[in-house]
Amino acid sequence: MAVFTFEDQTTSPVAPATLYKALVKDADDIVPKAVDSFKSVEIVEGNGGVGTIKKISFLEDGETKFVLHKIEGIDEAKLGYSYSIGGAALPDTAEKITIDSILSDGPNGGSVVKLSLKYHSKGDAPPNEDELKAGKAKSDALFKVIEAYLLANA
C-alpha cells in the first residue's frame, strides 16, 4: 500500500470554536439535519472518543451507500481532529483516506481550516486525478452546506 499526501486550506465566516463544535462534537446531530442525503450515523464501536468507528449512511445517485468513519485523534485545545474513512463509497483504488484538520482564527471573526489528507491506496498506484477532484468537490459541498446551516441557525 502506498500513501499519497495532499494539503488543502479553506476559510469560513463561522468562528473556529463554533465550527469545531459542529464538525466534531455535534456532527452526528447536525449533519443529518443539514444534509438531506445523509440518512443515519450509527456508532459501531467505541464511546465517541478516539478509536470510535461510526457507520455513516447516505444517498448517492439514488443508491444508499456508507462510509466507516474512525476517530483517530481529538485535540480540543488546538481545535484539531483526525479521522479516517473507509467503506463502499471510496474509490476502488483506495484502502482508506485519513484526514487531519486544524481550525484557527481567520479574517473577520471566521476560521481558517487546514487539512492534510493521506490517501492510502490499494497497491502502489497513485490515485486517479478525476476521483480526487470528485472527492474534493463532494467534501467542499458538504462543508458549505454545514456552514450555511450554522449561519442560518446561529
Side-chain angles (χ1 to χ4, degrees), residues 132-145:
L132 287 176
K133 288 178 185 175
K136 181 173 177 5
K138 288 178 189 176
S139 176
D140 290 349
L142 175 63
F143 180 80
K144 289 299 180 189
V145 168

Side-chain angles (χ1 to χ4, degrees), residues 46 56 58 107 118 128-129 139:
I56 302 171
F58 57 95
K118 292 181 179 72
N128 175 298
E129 286 294 322
S139 176

Side-chain angles (χ1 to χ4, degrees), residues 75-110:
D75 187 341
E76 288 188 42
K78 293 183 181 178
L79 300 181
Y81 185 67
S82 300
Y83 63 98
S84 59
I85 54 174
L90 288 183
D92 291 337
T93 57
E95 184 72 33
K96 70 176 180 176
I97 299 173
T98 302
I99 298 101
D100 299 320
S101 63
I102 295 181
L103 283 74
S104 59
D105 292 334
N108 304 315

Side-chain angles (χ1 to χ4, degrees), residues 2-102:
V3 178
F4 302 88
T5 303
F6 305 92
E7 305 292 327
D8 196 14
Q9 181 173 305
T10 190
T11 58
S12 171
V14 179
T18 302
L19 192 56
Y20 183 82
K21 185 175 185 292
L23 294 173
V24 177
K25 294 182 173 189
D26 298 337
D28 295 355
D29 294 324
I30 289 177
V31 173
K33 290 177 188 173
V35 184
D36 290 338
S37 62
F38 274 66
K39 299 302 172 197
S40 66
V41 180
E42 168 190 348
I43 292 181
V44 175
E45 181 179 311
N47 62 4
V50 174
T52 296
I53 298 173
K54 300 176 185 182
K55 181 179 179 182
I56 302 171
S57 300
F58 57 95
L59 194 61
E60 183 176 71
D61 300 327
E63 183 180 339
T64 299
K65 298 182 179 179
F66 74 92
V67 294
L68 295 176
H69 174 115
K70 181 178 182 185
I71 301 172
E72 303 286 356
I74 300 172
D75 187 341
E76 288 188 42
K78 293 183 181 178
L79 300 181
Y81 185 67
S82 300
Y83 63 98
S84 59
I85 54 174
L90 288 183
D92 291 337
T93 57
E95 184 72 33
K96 70 176 180 176
I97 299 173
T98 302
I99 298 101
D100 299 320
S101 63
I102 295 181

